[in-house]
Amino acid sequence: MKHKLIYILLTLASVITYGQVNLSLDADKSEYGGKDIVNLTIILELNGSDLVQQTGLQLPDLSKFNIIGSGSVTNTFIDPATNTLITQKVSRIALEPKKKGKVKIGSVLVTVNNKIYKTEPFEVNVKDVTEKKSLAANTSNEVYLNMEIEDRDVYQDQPTIAVLKVYSRNVDNLRKVKNIRLPEQDNINVHPVNFNKSEIDPSGSGNMASQVLAVFMVFPNEAGFVEVPPVSASVSSYSNKNKIVSNKVKITVRKLPDGAPECFKNAVGNFKVNVYNTSKEKPEAKKPMNVVVRVSGEGNLPDMELPKIAASPDYEVFAPKITSKVAPGSAGMKGEILASYVIIPKKAGVISIKTEQFAFFNPENKEYIDLGQKTLAVNAFSHEQVLEARSTVEKVNEYTNNLLETVNTPVLKTTSLKVKEKNKFHWNILLTNIVILLGLFIVYISFKTWQKKRALVRENVASKSLGSVAETEKEIKELLKTDINDYFSYLENLKDNGEYEKFFDTMEELDQEVRGQYFQGSVTEFKTFLESYKGSSVAEEYASLQQKIQIEKYSPAKSHEGLEELLKTIVNLYSQISK
């Protein structure tokens, strides 16, 4: 009986230990085309501080694939429910199939606390690809989107930056990616940072050119493991449009710490609250006035719940009009949100317009900050007090305006005509006009005298020397010097006519012409010269332009849009460095 009890305890201990280590290997799908990328995701999760990983992840035999990229990230956090340390290691491998048909992917092995764990093997089906005559029709199989999120461990409602990149072996395909659609999901809020395409990197992962297409912020609004859905885009060709989709990314969202104030809702960042009256007139009882609640700062500003104006028996408040002025910042969306309220005081005297209590969580200091209530003291006057406070001129103006709005008689019109006839002669205007005329006459006499003196000087000056032969040759060379703008016009015509070979030959002549102006022979010498003469930024721009020209020149499929963008860069740069 004693031995049976020991056996049962050992069995339970092994089951508990086994449950503390989770190892999985998954593919993004089960069927692939011949040119599709197989994305493998390996997740190792260790639940407990006493678990020690003794070996690295031992990959299966991947000789039937070409490894074109890989990456890994490690996240460590404490589960608030069980107070257990959880270490999660996520690795991603991008593979290119070498053969068609069913391909078996073996097990991943790892040793933790002297015990070996492994995943179950599985198969993926690689289908044949139907060859098509048009390169553009098969573009989507040669263009890949990849979403990268560096910070995968954030608080709830705290932003993390996501970068979308496109990869292709054909540089011309990168320009065909359009209509980017950012992910949409209930447990995340997405705000774009920019859609500016970066410079093309010809030496990307797996010998593929890459380019950054978009940068956006992801605000997860629930704690736990959140999966950011893929980003989609379209690859436009002359015949059709193909849709491409990026990878998914899992992030760990930490729950906000305990001890939040009762007034805390979902504001995460650093904020300020102000309340003020925008009405120019004096506050009057039973008449509307405009009050603005301004929330400014940086964080989840567009998505958080704003503090409202609290209800009171002293005034009546209506639903606000929200105005947003936000832009991407370094730690979230930065700017201000204005809530414009219409408030009607119900009585005369001093009334206090208060907002609801407002608190936010600052992720930098990891603490809650309670701003409390903001109060606006308003002294509302009765209608009689407003009338008594007016000056005599204001009363006369109001009476006159009311009379003109309600009465229209011939007497008033005749009176207005008589008022207009009360004009007097202004001597100041007459004297000013006389002074202006005298000044113009003196300037005219001085100009005529200068012309006569100049004519006498011309008669006494000897005829100009013809100069030497060398000086004459220098003047002729200056007259015959090629204008750089002529090159720009000629390149524009060659681009429009599709004469690409002449376009690049003329581009080389333009480059030699500009280098000759500075007596520089090679491109390398000219780059070194530009660093000292124009600065390092211009020199780097010149080197980047030369690289773009070589890429476009030897690209198998040249596009009109690509050459037009290249020509704009040429005009901007050479206009700066040409003498």
Side-chain angles (χ1 to χ4, degrees):
M1 184 67 184
K2 185 177 181 180
H3 293 289
K4 289 184 179 179
L5 182 60
I6 295 174
Y7 179 77
I8 293 173
L9 292 175
L10 290 175
T11 304
L12 290 175
S14 63
V15 171
I16 294 172
T17 305
Y18 182 79
Q20 291 176 338
V21 178
N22 297 321
L23 179 63
S24 64
L25 171 63
D26 296 313
D28 55 347
K29 54 185 178 179
S30 59
E31 293 187 355
Y32 298 88
K35 294 185 179 181
D36 285 350
I37 298 298
V38 179
N39 294 307
L40 299 181
T41 302
I42 305 170
I43 300 177
L44 173 62
E45 188 174 292
L46 306 176
N47 299 326
S49 58
D50 57 337
L51 297 176
V52 178
Q53 181 181 349
Q54 297 170 314
T55 63
L57 296 175
Q58 300 177 22
L59 300 179
D61 181 17
L62 300 176
S63 58
K64 297 178 181 179
F65 300 91
N66 292 322
I67 301 178
I68 62 175
S70 63
S72 62
V73 64
T74 302
N75 299 320
T76 303
F77 61 96
I78 296 177
D79 188 357
T82 61
N83 198 23
T84 304
L85 177 66
I86 299 177
T87 303
Q88 185 186 65
K89 299 181 179 181
V90 181
S91 300
R92 189 175 178 88
I93 304 174
L95 306 174
E96 183 183 38
K98 291 183 179 179
K99 57 178 292 187
K100 311 299 187 293
K102 291 186 177 181
V103 183
K104 184 177 180 180
I105 297 177
S107 301
V108 175
L109 303 178
V110 67
T111 302
V112 178
N113 285 11
N114 298 322
K115 186 172 181 179
I116 299 176
Y117 297 87
K118 69 175 183 177
T119 62
E120 294 295 330
F122 59 91
E123 291 183 345
V124 293
N125 187 20
V126 181
K127 294 183 177 181
D128 290 334
V129 179
T130 304
E131 296 294 335
K132 298 182 180 180
K133 296 181 181 180
S134 174
L135 174 64
N138 201 25
T139 301
S140 64
N141 292 331
E142 299 178 355
V143 183
Y144 313 103
L145 290 179
N146 185 50
M147 178 171 54
E148 301 175 1
I149 298 180
E150 293 184 2
D151 190 2
R152 301 190 185 186
D153 186 6
V154 294
Y155 279 110
Q156 184 178 345
D157 291 308
Q158 183 184 6
T160 181
I161 298 294
V163 179
L164 179 67
K165 287 186 178 181
V166 60
Y167 294 86
S168 179
R169 288 186 175 85
N170 188 352
V171 177
D172 188 58
N173 290 337
L174 302 183
R175 302 188 183 93
K176 300 176 182 178
V177 180
K178 299 178 180 178
N179 302 325
I180 300 171
R181 295 178 62 87
L182 299 181
E184 295 181 0
Q185 199 164 268
D186 293 337
N187 57 355
I188 62 171
N189 297 312
V190 178
H191 297 281
V193 176
N194 65 68
F195 288 97
N196 300 328
K197 292 185 177 181
S198 68
E199 298 293 336
I200 296 176
D201 184 6
S203 58
S205 176
N207 295 324
M208 292 190 295
S210 64
Q211 185 181 35
V212 176
L213 295 181
V215 180
F216 54 95
M217 287 186 182
V218 179
F219 293 81
N221 52 42
E222 68 177 25
F225 294 105
V226 176
E227 186 177 70
V228 180
V231 181
S232 64
S234 63
V235 183
S236 303
S237 62
Y238 294 105
S239 58
N240 58 2
K241 280 187 177 181
N242 298 319
K243 183 179 179 180
I244 56 177
V245 180
S246 74
N247 58 306
K248 301 177 182 178
V249 178
K250 288 185 178 180
I251 60 177
T252 302
V253 182
R254 287 177 285 172
K255 188 178 180 181
L256 295 177
D258 296 332
E262 294 182 0
C263 58
F264 174 78
K265 294 177 181 177
N266 67 335
V268 176
N270 191 10
F271 307 104
K272 294 181 180 179
V273 178
N274 295 321
V275 56
Y276 54 91
N277 179 17
T278 60
S279 300
K280 296 181 180 179
E281 299 178 355
K282 294 180 180 180
E284 186 175 343
K286 298 182 180 181
K287 284 196 175 182
M289 58 181 292
N290 296 322
V291 176
V292 174
V293 177
R294 177 177 177 266
V295 181
S296 60
E298 186 173 3
N300 62 333
L301 197 58
D303 307 313
M304 72 181 190
E305 191 170 342
L306 302 175
K308 302 176 182 177
I309 289 183
S312 173
D314 295 337
Y315 55 82
E316 185 178 2
V317 59
F318 296 89
K321 177 182 178 182
I322 305 299
T323 304
S324 179
K325 300 177 183 178
V326 296
S330 59
M333 302 301 291
K334 186 177 182 180
E336 63 180 13
I337 295 182
L338 306 177
S340 301
Y341 289 85
V342 175
I343 293 179
I344 301 178
K346 294 182 179 180
K347 65 176 184 178
V350 178
I351 60 175
S352 295
I353 301 175
K354 297 182 179 181
T355 65
E356 295 177 341
Q357 287 187 330
F358 177 74
F360 62 88
F361 175 73
N362 191 332
E364 293 184 2
N365 302 330
K366 298 181 181 180
E367 63 178 358
Y368 292 95
I369 298 177
D370 190 355
L371 298 180
Q373 284 184 312
K374 298 296 179 180
T375 304
L376 175 65
V378 176
N379 187 12
F381 296 91
S382 63
H383 185 65
E384 292 75 12
Q385 290 175 332
V386 172
L387 294 177
E388 291 176 359
R390 292 179 181 176
S391 62
T392 305
V393 176
E394 291 176 343
K395 292 179 181 179
V396 170
N397 289 338
E398 183 182 7
Y399 177 77
T400 304
N401 291 332
N402 292 333
L403 182 63
L404 293 176
E405 290 174 0
T406 55
V407 181
N408 184 16
T409 63
V411 176
L412 290 174
K413 293 180 180 179
T414 306
T415 306
S416 62
L417 291 175
K418 289 182 179 180
V419 170
K420 291 180 181 179
E421 290 174 357
K422 293 181 180 180
N423 296 328
K424 63 179 180 179
F425 190 78
H426 296 282
W427 288 99
N428 293 333
I429 296 176
L430 177 62
L431 293 176
T432 302
N433 292 333
I434 293 174
V435 171
I436 292 172
L437 290 175
L438 288 175
L440 292 175
F441 180 74
I442 293 172
V443 171
Y444 175 75
I445 295 298
S446 302
F447 177 73
K448 298 299 289 184
T449 305
W450 175 78
Q451 279 187 329
K452 290 181 181 179
K453 291 182 178 180
R454 187 178 181 186
L456 294 175
V457 170
R458 285 180 179 177
E459 293 178 358
N460 296 328
V461 173
S463 60
K464 183 180 179 181
S465 174
L466 294 176
S468 63
V469 176
E471 293 175 347
T472 305
E473 288 180 353
K474 183 178 180 181
E475 292 179 358
I476 294 174
K477 287 182 180 179
E478 289 295 325
L479 292 173
L480 295 178
K481 181 180 177 179
T482 305
D483 189 1
I484 194 171
N485 292 320
D486 296 336
Y487 278 102
F488 298 157
S489 302
Y490 187 49
L491 288 172
E492 181 73 21
N493 293 332
L494 293 176
K495 173 183 68 71
D496 294 338
N497 297 331
E499 298 180 24
Y500 301 130
E501 187 175 355
K502 287 186 177 179
F503 179 89
F504 291 103
D505 292 340
T506 307
M507 183 57 233
E508 291 181 2
E509 293 179 7
L510 170 61
D511 186 64
Q512 292 176 0
E513 175 71 21
V514 175
R515 283 190 276 114
Q517 293 176 1
Y518 296 96
F519 306 100
Q520 302 296 323
S522 64
V523 174
T524 305
E525 295 175 351
F526 190 45
K527 179 187 174 183
T528 305
F529 172 77
L530 287 177
E531 287 182 354
S532 59
Y533 182 70
K534 292 287 186 177
S536 59
S537 60
V538 176
E540 290 297 328
E541 188 177 356
Y542 175 78
S544 176
L545 176 60
Q546 297 302 318
Q547 187 180 23
K548 287 182 184 178
I549 292 172
Q550 295 302 317
I551 292 174
E552 290 289 344
K553 182 176 181 180
Y554 298 105
S555 177
K558 298 178 176 59
S559 64
H560 182 79
E561 293 82 4
L563 289 178
E564 186 173 4
E565 183 180 353
L566 180 63
L567 182 57
K568 290 181 180 178
T569 307
I570 291 170
V571 172
N572 291 334
L573 180 60
Y574 282 95
S575 298
Q576 296 179 37
I577 62 178
S578 177
K579 287 185 178 181

